[in-house]
Amino acid sequence: MLEPIGRKSLSDSVYEQILARIVEGGIEPGEALPSERALCEMLQVNRGALREALKRLEQAGLVRVQHGGQTRVLDYRLTAGMELLPTLLMRKDQGIDLEVARAVMEMRACLAPDIARLCAARADDELIGRLEALLEAMEDAGDDLERLQDLNLAFWEHMVEGSGNIAYRFAFNALRDTYIEIKEIMRQVLVEELTDLLSWKAITRAVRRHDARAAERTARALIDKGTEGVLGVIDALDEMDGDKAKENAK
């Protein structure tokens, strides 16, 4: 079921391996993990590394550790948080999970306009100055998509800070970490969004004027460009997978 762990980052390796088994369905919800002694023998790690990994799994909402008893697997769809998204997006030996990618894009499309609205309403002059500096850097970047992608991400980092909403901050953190997993792939698909300097300027001006409605409206139009492009690719890949499945079934 599980494989021996090497010497590097023992607790991290244990955590990642058990997490992968859970999200891939190798260990079902409600199932008890082997005893600590048995797990240590399977993984060839010490009890300290194992317990640290189990504690992280419990904090992530993947297992429930009963002191002196069994450790049972939870249904992560009911108990885990958004920090699990990067793991779900990139499945080992399976590539990108298209349904997770679609869910991430849909959530991004909902969050970004409201982040822009709140930022316009709440941002102070210091933060607005940082947005304007990033906008200048975007202008200087020209057609350098990699540079523009990094600047766009930094721009939204400041926007979510300016929103003053801690829940949006945590959601953004998870979306950012998920996005970084497929950053190179996304670069070409999001080219229309990344290079729409007029829209980035309009958002910045709306924040400067504290015009929440304009910021929300412009951000939605900008994000929709990228969303439509990515969802179009996902739908095409989904259709290809369906065709392959039909061919294999013949």
Side-chain angles (χ1 to χ4, degrees):
M1 181 178 73
L2 299 172
E3 302 171 2
I5 295 296
R7 292 182 179 277
K8 184 179 178 180
S9 302
L10 290 180
S11 64
D12 287 346
S13 297
V14 172
Y15 170 81
E16 290 168 5
Q17 190 175 156
I18 297 177
L19 182 152
R21 294 286 295 171
I22 291 172
V23 300
E24 291 166 8
I27 310 174
E28 297 290 337
E31 186 177 342
L33 294 181
S35 67
E36 286 189 0
R37 181 177 178 180
L39 284 171
C40 287
E41 291 175 356
M42 287 181 197
L43 300 165
Q44 296 182 14
V45 298
N46 59 60
R47 189 158 290 190
L50 176 65
R51 286 179 174 174
E52 184 177 341
L54 291 177
K55 183 178 180 180
R56 286 182 61 193
L57 288 165
E58 185 173 38
Q59 291 171 339
L62 297 170
V63 303
R64 177 175 291 113
V65 180
Q66 299 173 329
H67 297 290
Q70 295 177 317
T71 297
R72 291 199 175 274
V73 174
L74 301 174
D75 185 343
Y76 69 86
R77 292 180 179 276
L78 303 178
T79 55
M82 290 189 63
E83 66 275 6
L84 196 59
L85 277 177
T87 300
L88 294 177
L89 179 69
M90 299 296 293
R91 298 296 182 91
K92 185 179 179 181
D93 302 326
Q94 296 179 28
I96 297 173
D97 186 308
L98 296 180
E99 286 305 309
V100 175
R102 181 179 286 110
V104 167
M105 293 306 298
E106 290 171 350
M107 184 173 184
R108 172 180 177 267
C110 291
L111 284 182
D114 206 49
I115 287 171
R117 177 183 69 84
L118 291 177
C119 184
R122 299 171 177 173
D124 58 24
D125 288 342
E126 192 274 333
L127 188 134
I128 294 169
R130 281 187 271 153
L131 290 176
E132 291 172 339
L134 282 169
L135 186 62
E136 289 179 9
M138 288 182 198
E139 292 178 306
D140 293 339
D143 296 327
D144 185 342
L145 285 182
E146 184 174 2
R147 177 65 175 151
L148 284 171
Q149 191 178 33
D150 289 340
L151 291 168
N152 290 176
L153 191 57
F155 188 94
W156 282 110
E157 286 269 6
H158 290 318
M159 290 285 284
V160 76
E161 179 185 345
S163 77
N165 186 307
I166 189 63
Y168 281 177
R169 174 81 254 184
F170 292 158
F172 174 83
N173 292 345
L175 290 176
R176 176 199 59 210
D177 294 345
T178 308
Y179 177 76
I180 288 171
E181 288 286 332
I182 53 173
K183 186 178 176 183
E184 288 77 16
I185 299 171
M186 296 291 284
R187 189 174 299 142
Q188 293 301 324
V189 184
L190 293 175
V191 62
E192 189 176 358
E193 177 184 317
L194 296 176
T195 58
D196 187 356
L197 196 59
L198 289 178
S199 291
W200 293 103
K201 287 180 178 179
I203 293 171
T204 307
R205 286 197 299 267
V207 173
R208 165 62 73 183
R209 299 194 311 269
H210 297 291
D211 188 338
R213 288 186 179 180
E216 179 183 17
R217 182 174 60 251
T218 309
R220 176 172 288 107
L222 175 64
I223 293 297
D224 281 350
K225 290 182 179 181
T227 301
E228 289 172 9
V230 175
L231 292 183
V233 172
I234 291 172
D235 289 341
L237 292 173
D238 224 356
E239 188 173 342
M240 288 173 58
D241 287 345
D243 291 342
K244 286 180 182 178
K246 290 176 183 178
E247 280 294 320
N248 293 333
K250 289 181 180 179

